[in-house]
Amino acid sequence: MRYLSTFILCIVLISCDSSRVYEDFNDMEEAFWHLDSIQTFTFQIEDPSQRYHLMANFRNASSYPFYNLYFQYTVKDSLDNILDQKLKQVNLFDPKTGEPYGSGLGDLFDHSFVLEEDYQFPAEGTYSLSFEQYMRRDTLPFILSVGARVEFAKQ
């Protein structure tokens, strides 16, 4: 029930955002992000002359056993050509104090990280943004959701 109320609150807050082009979340089965579970999000770009921010969203429980998260993200076009691929490390908790970062409700915390600023897609069409955890564990516990966001860059 607690997860459902947090999810509904996030949807209400997200629906009022005019800069958003695309945003979606995938909930992790049993709160584990498996090594072979690549999270992929597909979206449309209608104006390739526009610049965009690409973002990663994560929801974790306070029981997450690490202060950071390593993941690889990949941007592909509709022909499956890789346009961008990078390994990224982000902090979910303060490494010294253990205090959680992000916005929280109870023991759940939401994080949003910019992957690319002022990104320009080469053409109109369908693109995908995918995430793969790189924490050297087969299963990463207490990652509840992985999400992607594409928004208009402020001009």
Side-chain angles (χ1 to χ4, degrees), residues 53-98:
H53 297 319
L54 306 180
M55 305 178 79
N57 297 320
F58 299 103
R59 181 172 297 129
N60 67 284
S62 60
S63 305
Y64 180 72
F66 307 103
Y67 74 88
N68 64 350
L69 173 64
Y70 281 92
F71 64 95
Q72 178 174 275
Y73 71 91
T74 305
V75 180
K76 291 183 179 180
D77 64 15
S78 60
L79 299 175
D80 231 18
N81 296 314
I82 295 175
L83 303 177
D84 199 8
Q85 186 174 56
K86 292 182 182 143
L87 180 65
K88 187 146 176 99
Q89 183 264 329
V90 295
N91 288 345
L92 304 179
F93 297 88
D94 184 288
K96 292 184 180 176
T97 67

Side-chain angles (χ1 to χ4, degrees), residues 27-144:
D27 291 333
M28 297 294 111
E29 193 173 306
E30 299 178 15
F32 284 97
W33 190 0
H34 298 278
L35 187 64
D36 61 353
S37 178
I38 299 172
Q39 302 301 306
T40 301
F41 302 89
T42 304
F43 54 93
Q44 294 289 325
I45 293 298
E46 296 177 4
D47 183 2
S49 68
Q50 175 71 42
R51 301 236 177 223
Y52 300 89
H53 297 319
L54 306 180
M55 305 178 79
N57 297 320
F58 299 103
R59 181 172 297 129
N60 67 284
S62 60
S63 305
Y64 180 72
F66 307 103
Y67 74 88
N68 64 350
L69 173 64
Y70 281 92
F71 64 95
Q72 178 174 275
Y73 71 91
T74 305
V75 180
K76 291 183 179 180
D77 64 15
S78 60
L79 299 175
D80 231 18
N81 296 314
I82 295 175
L83 303 177
D84 199 8
Q85 186 174 56
K86 292 182 182 143
L87 180 65
K88 187 146 176 99
Q89 183 264 329
V90 295
N91 288 345
L92 304 179
F93 297 88
D94 184 288
K96 292 184 180 176
T97 67
E99 288 295 314
Y101 291 139
S103 59
L105 183 64
D107 66 341
L108 303 178
F109 296 91
D110 293 324
H111 309 270
S112 187
F113 300 100
V114 175
L115 303 172
E116 298 287 339
E117 288 187 301
D118 297 323
Y119 191 86
Q120 191 164 17
F121 291 93
E124 180 180 324
T126 303
Y127 293 87
S128 68
L129 178 57
S130 58
F131 302 97
E132 184 177 356
Q133 67 101 337
Y134 259 71
M135 291 294 288
R136 297 185 189 146
R137 294 185 66 149
D138 289 342
T139 56
L140 191 57
F142 302 110
I143 295 292
L144 307 174

